Amino acid sequence: MATEERRSGPDGGAAPVRVMVVDDHPMWREAVARDLAEAGFEVVATAGDGEQAVRRARAAAPDVLVLDLNLPDKPGVEVCRELVGPGAAPRVLVLSASGEHSDVLEAVKSGATGYLVKSAGPRELLDAVRRTALGDPVFTPGLAGLVLGEYRRLAAGPAPAAEQGPDVPKLTDRETEVLRLVAKGLGYKQIAERLVISHRTVQNHVQNTLGKLQLHNRVELVRYAIERGLDD
């Protein structure tokens, strides 16, 4: 019998992790959805093209969106940009046939939490979805260093206008502490263990920080932190 994957519900109790699968190949999409369901995830929706993905994701409100990049009507990176932002939004795990560096970086810039190539095995995929649900960055081996390098490259460029104004809100000591660990590449679960707090509390600190700084995703947040030397 499958072990049901859980997350914290609004009342503090356990609730199944809600997942949506987006891929234009029906057999692949159905196979991934089946594997997730058998592992105990709640598959709340599937979609075969970009427009359908945005519409159904907004209606189904999944915790994790398993997303292919090569989609009809609207590419995966555009789907990601439309769905990921401040406030309630799915975490996106890209599952793509492409391992090209440009595709990986574009996906992360659009707001994806992680990136896995389709050559990954079923266990690797299930683990990636579990970790994505917790807010951990998940990448096919060899790609994590590429993404961190891009964070640093971006930090060397001009800062976004929202960060240049005189009235940038002050972060609390705990928010700054969490931000420092995010900049070092730690996932939410690792940060929670380091600070002896729940991963939900870590998530709340990150969301509050994004709101205060008027940033939209983890890429911009890490860039902000690196620019200020918080990754040292």
Side-chain angles (χ1 to χ4, degrees):
M1 188 175 187
T3 300
E4 191 172 1
E5 298 300 330
R6 316 294 288 182
R7 62 180 170 83
S8 297
D11 59 355
V17 174
R18 297 163 56 85
V19 184
M20 178 175 172
V21 180
V22 181
D23 197 287
D24 64 331
H25 292 90
M27 290 182 64
W28 178 269
R29 182 172 68 243
E30 291 166 11
V32 171
R34 182 180 62 249
D35 287 347
L36 290 168
E38 289 177 352
F41 294 96
E42 181 182 357
V43 179
V44 296
T46 63
D49 63 61
E51 295 289 353
Q52 188 181 66
V54 172
R55 186 171 64 253
R56 291 187 179 177
R58 286 174 173 162
D63 301 310
V64 178
L65 186 69
V66 179
L67 177 69
D68 189 18
L69 293 181
N70 188 19
L71 299 172
D73 300 333
K74 185 190 298 286
V77 290
E78 289 299 327
V79 172
C80 196
R81 288 191 187 101
E82 290 192 28
L83 293 176
V84 177
R91 295 192 176 103
V92 176
L93 173 65
V94 170
L95 183 60
S96 174
S98 171
E100 292 293 327
H101 289 181
S102 58
D103 289 334
V104 177
L105 295 176
E106 188 66 22
V108 174
K109 289 176 185 177
S110 71
T113 299
Y115 194 108
L116 207 62
V117 295
K118 287 185 174 180
S119 58
R123 290 186 180 180
E124 190 175 356
L125 171 60
L126 296 176
D127 181 62
V129 174
R130 292 185 188 104
R131 292 173 58 196
T132 299
L134 294 173
D136 288 346
V138 183
F139 295 94
T140 290
L143 296 181
L146 168 74
V147 174
L148 185 57
E150 179 68 1
Y151 284 154
R152 295 183 181 280
R153 188 191 70 76
L154 287 172
E163 298 174 14
Q164 296 173 338
D167 300 322
V168 175
K170 181 175 176 59
L171 303 180
T172 66
D173 289 342
R174 180 62 96 182
E175 288 167 348
T176 300
E177 191 173 19
V178 169
L179 180 57
R180 186 184 300 276
L181 295 176
V182 168
K184 290 181 177 180
L186 274 67
Y188 290 175
K189 185 176 180 181
Q190 294 170 302
I191 295 172
E193 291 172 351
R194 179 79 63 90
L195 300 181
V196 196
I197 56 179
S198 72
H199 80 270
R200 178 69 64 180
T201 300
V202 174
Q203 179 184 345
N204 289 340
H205 283 311
V206 171
Q207 291 300 321
N208 289 341
T209 301
L210 286 170
K212 283 184 177 181
L213 301 177
Q214 299 181 40
L215 302 176
H216 300 94
N217 54 49
R218 192 185 184 98
V219 174
E220 294 181 3
L221 189 63
V222 173
R223 176 184 177 181
Y224 177 94
I226 291 174
E227 285 173 343
R228 285 151 182 78
L230 296 178
D231 61 322
D232 294 336

